[in-house]
Amino acid sequence: MGEQLSPDEKFELITRNLQEVLGEDKLKQVLQERELKVYWGTATTGKPHVAYFVPMSKIADFLKAGCEVTILFADLHAYLDNMKAPWELLALRTQYYEQVIKAMLESIGVPLDKLKFVKGTDFQLSREYTLDVYRLSSMVTEHDAKKAGAEVVKQVEHPLLSGLLYPGLQALDEEYLKVDAQFGGVDQRKIFCLAEKYLPSLGYTKRVHMMNPMVPGLTGAKMSSSEEESKIDLLDRKEEVKKKLKKAFCEPGNIENNGVLSFVKHVVFPLHSEFVIKRDPKWGGDQVYTEFEEVQKDFAAETIHPGDLKASVEAALNKLLDPIRKKFESPELRKLSSTAYPAPSKHKAKGGKGGGGGGGGGGGAAGEEDEVIPSKLDIRVGRIISVEKHPDADSLYLEKIDVGEAEPRTVVSGLVAYISQEALQDRLVVLLCNLKPQKMRGIESQAMLLCASVEGEPRRVEPLDPPEGSSPGERVFVEGYESGAPEDELKPKKKMFEKIQVDLKISGTCVAQWKEKDLMTKLGQITCRTLKGGNIS
């Protein structure tokens, strides 16, 4: 099909839906002379999820435009990125990625014979490549390496040398894969800029760089392999897909940070010529769209209901996932999945002393269930939509709070003595969302608003503040406990929150912490305004 297109038509197809292209002139020049050679790489860390359909649909565009496409399974990068893939699981995870990515491509009708698949360790351990790593390390400063990996490599207080090497290796891959262009997310931009700066210093050509926008996950933030609620796994059952989509942030009329709409734009329309909104005849019946802009316009005008949009995306998504699920029904692939991503081990306590540290078990029958693990808490950013006095209690407020779900939650909080209604209205707050709902003076409270407090005369209380720019529904996690799924509902008898709350404090710089580890969203730290050294409740 690529041979039938003009260079200008190929350029349009290659660049459609991209956020940015560095080196457009060079891209056009190559297309005038021959087919473009492009590569997309993925570090073999957490399980690929449905957001991977976004780069897959671009790879389909590249092939339609006649490009020679290489897919790199970056196994060595997975290890270098703060050992996200343990060395002993590296080969298994690479096999899993290869099988699942091929299944995704087959699901969207991409012919595998047009693609070249390469493992990083197939060439990154060669003598020539290793010498180039040393040559590059004599040129790249620590500052440049850290800056380049800031949005890709896991950032920690004391970074390992491996994370500083990561961006340089990704730059060298362009030369060793002999491509004209590298394709990735816009979060890779700083790595691409490092490649453009340093490859010519080694005597190598500067490449074209093509970037996809970062597509929001279901919580409104970047879809992440480590954040269970923000992603739909490629092997999730239909019931799980329905459940996760039901929780997805999809506020009526809101087209910002809407992962459900983004999926329609970046996956459904590039792969199909139309999208059908399925709905009851009494609400107008099915509506067929041939342009994403029309879908977006109607959703903004609230002529498409969030429930109908989710149901239609659910149908489209299951159509894509069915062949992948079917392929992974084989005993060999089921075994590969469970061995590449083993369930967290449950260790027994030794010597009757109980297990220590974050990874150890509680011992005996209690095991992992009773471990104090902060990732079991479903803490989210919320926005207070309305606030009024409780009709039957002078000390209580009744708030409607958007936590990224289809409907706001009702929350009852005892803040009347500490903060005015006006100060709470439209304010971003932090909520614990998986406590068992409790009736307070006859009204059920569906979440707990988390506050800093300092005892004394008078007692002082302040709601916690998410980072600036946060959106309702964004997950709040304890640094170092990003992975792990929150429980659907905390069991009151286990007193999980009470056990964690003992160590929830405000630091001397007004940062919310658990055992001196920061509470964070992807945008930064959770803070309070003035109550240094306070407690959190």
Side-chain angles (χ1 to χ4, degrees):
M1 183 177 175
E3 297 76 29
Q4 300 164 3
L5 301 176
S6 71
D8 286 346
E9 288 170 326
K10 289 178 183 179
F11 178 83
E12 287 302 317
L13 192 51
I14 288 166
T15 59
R16 73 168 175 172
N17 287 337
L18 293 178
Q19 182 163 324
E20 187 177 5
V21 178
L22 299 176
E24 277 194 2
D25 289 343
K26 182 172 180 179
L27 174 54
K28 288 176 178 175
Q29 183 190 333
V30 172
L31 290 173
Q32 291 292 339
E33 299 167 4
R34 56 177 171 78
E35 305 298 4
L36 186 77
K37 296 178 182 177
V38 58
Y39 102 85
W40 173 75
T42 180
T44 51
T45 52
K47 282 187 173 183
H49 43 73
V50 296
Y52 277 64
F53 276 116
V54 178
M56 295 302 110
S57 64
K58 270 317 297 175
I59 287 168
D61 280 348
F62 296 154
L63 290 172
K64 284 175 194 167
C67 299
E68 295 177 26
V69 182
T70 299
I71 291 181
L72 171 67
F73 298 114
D75 48 356
L76 196 54
H77 288 77
Y79 181 71
L80 292 175
D81 188 0
N82 215 45
M83 294 176 288
K84 279 186 183 174
W87 195 261
E88 61 274 14
L89 294 179
L90 211 55
L92 288 167
R93 290 199 176 173
T94 304
Q95 287 174 42
Y96 180 87
Y97 262 70
E98 184 166 352
Q99 291 296 334
V100 88
I101 297 277
K102 285 179 175 177
M104 289 181 81
L105 290 163
E106 287 170 341
S107 165
I108 64 174
V110 172
L112 299 186
D113 59 343
K114 302 284 186 185
L115 291 162
K116 186 177 175 186
F117 296 93
V118 180
K119 274 193 302 188
T121 46
D122 287 346
F123 64 91
Q124 290 162 348
L125 301 177
S126 69
R127 181 177 184 275
E128 295 76 16
Y129 189 95
T130 304
L131 286 173
D132 272 342
V133 172
Y134 287 130
R135 287 171 67 203
L136 198 58
S137 67
S138 70
M139 299 174 185
V140 180
T141 64
E142 179 197 5
H143 172 268
D144 280 3
K146 199 170 179 182
K147 181 182 172 186
E151 293 184 56
V152 177
V153 181
K154 183 177 171 62
Q155 298 299 296
V156 292
E157 191 177 349
H158 302 291
L160 295 170
L161 185 58
S162 58
L164 299 176
L165 288 173
Y166 185 115
L169 268 68
Q170 188 170 332
L172 285 174
D173 292 344
E174 297 178 352
E175 173 62 25
Y176 280 79
L177 292 170
K178 301 299 178 192
V179 293
D180 307 303
Q182 184 180 173
F183 163 61
V186 76
D187 59 339
Q188 310 264 334
R189 191 182 197 282
K190 290 173 182 172
I191 292 181
F192 293 164
C193 289
L194 179 121
E196 294 196 3
K197 179 178 177 181
Y198 285 103
L199 279 191
S201 303
L202 292 170
Y204 299 141
T205 309
K206 184 163 79 170
R207 266 66 181 192
V208 175
H209 293 102
M210 303 184 288
M211 286 162 272
N212 253 351
M214 297 311 296
V215 176
L218 299 178
T219 58
K222 173 182 171 182
M223 197 177 285
S224 163
S225 297
S226 63
E227 190 176 327
E228 279 300 318
E229 288 303 304
S230 88
K231 71 184 182 74
I232 293 173
D233 191 279
L234 295 166
L235 302 180
D236 275 350
R237 300 189 313 276
K238 290 186 178 182
E239 312 86 84
E240 291 167 318
V241 172
K242 183 181 284 292
K243 181 181 170 185
K244 287 179 179 177
L245 273 171
K246 192 176 178 183
K247 287 184 177 180
F249 174 72
C250 193
E251 187 179 53
N254 187 348
I255 59 174
E256 299 298 321
N257 286 329
N258 188 324
V260 186
L261 265 183
S262 292
F263 190 82
V264 176
K265 177 180 181 179
H266 292 284
V267 177
V268 177
F269 273 107
L271 298 175
H272 306 286
S273 57
E274 62 180 38
F275 176 59
V276 181
I277 291 286
K278 297 182 178 297
R279 58 188 171 196
D280 196 291
K282 69 179 177 182
W283 302 117
D286 293 356
Q287 174 78 35
V288 179
Y289 290 91
T290 55
E291 298 286 339
F292 171 73
E293 288 70 24
E294 292 300 311
V295 179
Q296 184 172 254
K297 189 176 89 178
D298 281 2
F299 188 82
E302 298 190 30
T303 57
I304 297 176
H305 187 273
D308 293 330
L309 179 66
K310 286 181 181 183
S312 306
V313 166
E314 182 187 338
L317 189 49
N318 279 320
K319 196 172 178 182
L320 291 173
L321 294 180
D322 278 341
I324 302 171
R325 295 181 187 121
K326 189 168 184 182
K327 181 174 180 176
F328 273 78
E329 283 172 3
S330 77
E332 297 81 11
L333 291 183
R334 280 209 304 267
K335 184 181 177 184
L336 174 61
S337 181
S338 61
T339 51
Y341 296 94
S345 57
K346 298 181 182 180
H347 304 292
K348 290 190 177 179
K350 294 181 182 178
K353 290 267 184 181
E368 193 183 56
E369 278 296 305
D370 288 339
E371 278 191 84
V372 179
I373 302 172
S375 57
K376 291 186 177 184
L377 304 184
D378 181 6
I379 305 178
R380 299 185 220 169
V381 173
R383 183 183 294 280
I384 299 178
I385 297 168
S386 67
V387 53
E388 57 190 52
K389 289 273 188 73
H390 192 298
D392 297 318
D394 291 341
S395 63
L396 300 177
Y397 280 133
L398 198 60
E399 298 125 354
K400 292 286 185 186
I401 304 182
D402 177 6
V403 292
E405 296 170 339
E407 299 294 330
R409 292 199 185 198
T410 300
V411 177
V412 181
S413 60
L415 290 174
V416 171
Y418 308 105
I419 187 166
S420 69
Q421 283 179 244
E422 293 75 25
L424 283 175
Q425 181 66 42
D426 207 38
R427 176 180 177 145
L428 286 174
V429 289
V430 175
L431 294 114
L432 177 61
C433 293
N434 61 341
L435 284 175
K436 185 175 181 180
Q438 261 190 321
K439 280 201 172 178
M440 298 178 73
R441 292 291 184 95
I443 294 179
E444 187 176 79
S445 184
Q446 299 166 330
M448 178 192 283
L449 200 153
L450 296 180
C451 296
S453 65
V454 172
E455 299 305 322
E457 291 296 333
R459 181 174 185 244
R460 292 183 294 152
V461 177
E462 295 174 358
L464 296 182
D465 291 312
E468 192 176 341
S470 296
S471 300
E474 283 181 14
R475 187 181 173 207
V476 176
F477 56 87
V478 174
E479 190 176 19
Y481 290 87
E482 294 91 335
S483 60
E487 293 187 357
D488 286 340
E489 185 175 286
L490 296 172
K491 298 175 179 65
K493 288 183 180 177
K494 300 280 187 187
K495 297 194 178 297
M496 180 61 67
F497 177 64
E498 290 83 345
K499 291 173 186 174
I500 290 171
Q501 188 181 0
V502 173
D503 296 300
L504 285 171
K505 306 285 182 189
I506 301 294
S507 75
T509 54
C510 286
V511 176
Q513 295 184 327
W514 180 74
K515 292 190 175 181
E516 299 185 352
K517 297 180 189 299
D518 294 350
L519 269 67
M520 307 183 68
T521 72
K522 289 185 174 160
L523 294 177
Q525 298 162 321
I526 302 298
T527 58
C528 72
R529 294 182 185 177
T530 64
L531 301 184
K532 297 176 183 178
N535 296 313
I536 297 174
S537 58

